[in-house]
Amino acid sequence: MMGAMGSFDVLPDSIACLILSKLESAQMVAQCAMVCHRWKTLARLVDTLTFESFKLLEKKLDKNRNASCLETIVTQMLLKTHGIRILKISYHPVVWPWIPNDYFSEDRVCQWLQHVNTTLERLTLVDPNRARPQPKKLLHLTDCKKLQWLNLCYGFIPVLPASPGRFEQLVTLHLDLILIYDSALQTLVELAPILEDLKLNSCKGLRTPHFTALKLTSLEFANDMDVATTPITMVTVNAPSLVSVSLSHVEELVMNGFTLQNLALLWHVRPNIRELPVLESLHISGESWALDCVTHLIRLGTNLRSLRIDAFFERKYPIQLQSLLRHLQELVSIHIGADFFECLQTAGGAGAAFMRMHAMVLPRLENIMVVISCGNNNCISVLVSLLKCAPALRILRIDAENLRKSMDNVMFFSNLLGLQRDYPQVKVSLACPQTLL
Ligand SMILES: *[C@@H]1O[C@H](CO)[C@@H](O)[C@H](O)[C@H]1NC(C)=O
């Protein structure tokens, strides 16, 4: 240990400071600062600090452990530094239900932000204020002209004050568990002209958010339904550079889709999308889907490489495999969940007739995963159709964990062995209940 400290002493200040900055955690930096005068000086020059209540307050008794404890620590340390670029201040109350008014004072937060306003680039602020909006905090954030990355957790984003500054450099904005209304989100996005990445996780208060974001490439509405109880009715996005969209618990999505490459939808969404000419990956999962919405998206996605349909449908009806997939000439990988497979399966005979008339070839298809619950002849004929149309197929995985012992399934295993004999180049793997083997 002494040896290590000895070598630390010969390092030039700039390097020693870099090492201290790598420590991040405020208590470690503080401990180092106590070692000697030089370290004390160096500790003021760190560019990264993390204040984490779980670590800083762990030894305190519950009743003494509140936001103002952390507030004191942050104030003492942060105001001595010069040049913080990366700052994380997170206070997670552990007492449930939360103590009312146990959050940082807005003036304090403003003082911290003002202190770092010329250098701050990344900020994570977890401040469990759910009582009242804090507009001054936002004003001070817009004063941080180098801010590129912002994650706010908890709290209330109000209608923004008139003529605030702008987030000129802000590229990433993540909001977790925030109460924010449609108009506030719209203004916030407008204030960030180069925003690329917007993520809202379990935020409340949004109904029909709509915004224009010229540089936005990634949009995510994640939701933990335990927290946000009402789904968002409609998301309308005008974002001509958008590449990836991931939504959960949104009822309708309105966008043009021209540049979209990845689309992931959890829980039913009514897509109001004009075209998806460059979509590569479509992942649909969750409850309450309308089958029409799914087939519509697949038809739009002419360049799909990866398709995953893991959804449950309100009303199932037969779908012909060929009519649905034959345009997907770039398809490499497909995952067909239980409900969707059932729709293909019930179309069985009709599908075969269609097949004779329009031979389908999916030249790039390499991986197929299907989830089946009934191994009847129609199931096998869907599998045959898939094998026939995919000359490049390497892997067929069948999840039959829900297969029951029944007459329908008696022939299933021997039919499957037959398939494996006919397509020796394909690795067929089967997962099924032990009792059936
Ligand atoms: C940053 O804070 C200082 C006070 O610490 C203030 O005088 C200055 O106006 C602030 N900078 C900006 C860009 O608002």
Side-chain angles (χ1 to χ4, degrees), residues 259-280:
T259 52
L260 204 60
Q261 291 174 20
N262 308 299
L263 180 58
L265 302 171
L266 173 70
W267 203 65
H268 85 90
V269 177
R270 244 186 344 271
N272 192 336
I273 298 177
R274 288 192 22 219
E275 279 182 58
L276 291 168
V278 295
L279 192 69
E280 288 186 8

Side-chain angles (χ1 to χ4, degrees), residues 135-310:
K136 276 198 283 171
K137 196 155 85 181
L138 278 165
L139 282 180
H140 279 91
L141 279 171
T142 61
D143 282 346
C144 299
K145 291 300 174 202
K146 291 188 177 164
L147 192 65
Q148 296 165 15
W149 194 98
L150 176 60
N151 176 204
L152 297 175
C153 183
Y154 304 115
F156 190 156
I157 295 186
V159 178
L160 297 185
S163 66
R166 304 213 306 170
F167 296 99
E168 297 289 355
Q169 301 294 321
L170 195 65
V171 173
T172 301
L173 177 60
H174 292 179
L175 303 176
D176 298 310
L177 295 146
I178 299 253
L179 178 58
I180 182 167
Y181 297 122
D182 296 346
S183 58
L185 180 63
Q186 187 185 350
T187 316
L188 205 54
V189 171
E190 273 167 15
L191 291 177
I194 63 166
L195 189 66
E196 289 177 12
D197 172 10
L198 176 62
K199 178 171 176 179
L200 289 92
N201 177 23
S202 303
C203 290
K204 279 189 179 186
L206 295 169
R207 290 290 162 268
T208 57
H210 50 94
F211 51 81
T212 294
L214 298 182
K215 302 282 186 207
L216 196 69
T217 56
S218 169
L219 174 67
E220 181 170 348
F221 282 77
N223 245 324
D224 180 349
M225 273 312 258
D226 292 343
V227 180
T229 43
T230 6
I232 295 171
T233 311
M234 188 196 290
V235 173
T236 309
V237 198
N238 173 17
S241 315
L242 203 55
V243 174
S244 296
V245 170
S246 169
L247 299 182
S248 69
H249 299 99
V250 168
E251 290 180 347
E252 183 165 358
L253 169 66
V254 184
M255 63 180 293
N256 73 31
F258 291 145
T259 52
L260 204 60
Q261 291 174 20
N262 308 299
L263 180 58
L265 302 171
L266 173 70
W267 203 65
H268 85 90
V269 177
R270 244 186 344 271
N272 192 336
I273 298 177
R274 288 192 22 219
E275 279 182 58
L276 291 168
V278 295
L279 192 69
E280 288 186 8
S281 154
L282 176 62
H283 184 173
I284 288 174
S285 56
E287 310 285 327
S288 313
W289 275 91
L291 199 44
D292 281 347
C293 293
V294 175
T295 55
H296 177 65
L297 285 169
I298 296 174
R299 294 213 164 88
L300 289 179
T302 44
N303 276 303
L304 276 176
R305 295 169 54 81
S306 167
L307 175 62
R308 186 181 169 116
I309 310 293
D310 231 348

Side-chain angles (χ1 to χ4, degrees), residues 110-118 139-140 142-145:
C110 291
Q111 188 188 13
W112 301 337
L113 292 175
Q114 209 167 32
H115 185 76
V116 297
N117 71 8
T118 54
L139 282 180
H140 279 91
T142 61
D143 282 346
C144 299
K145 291 300 174 202

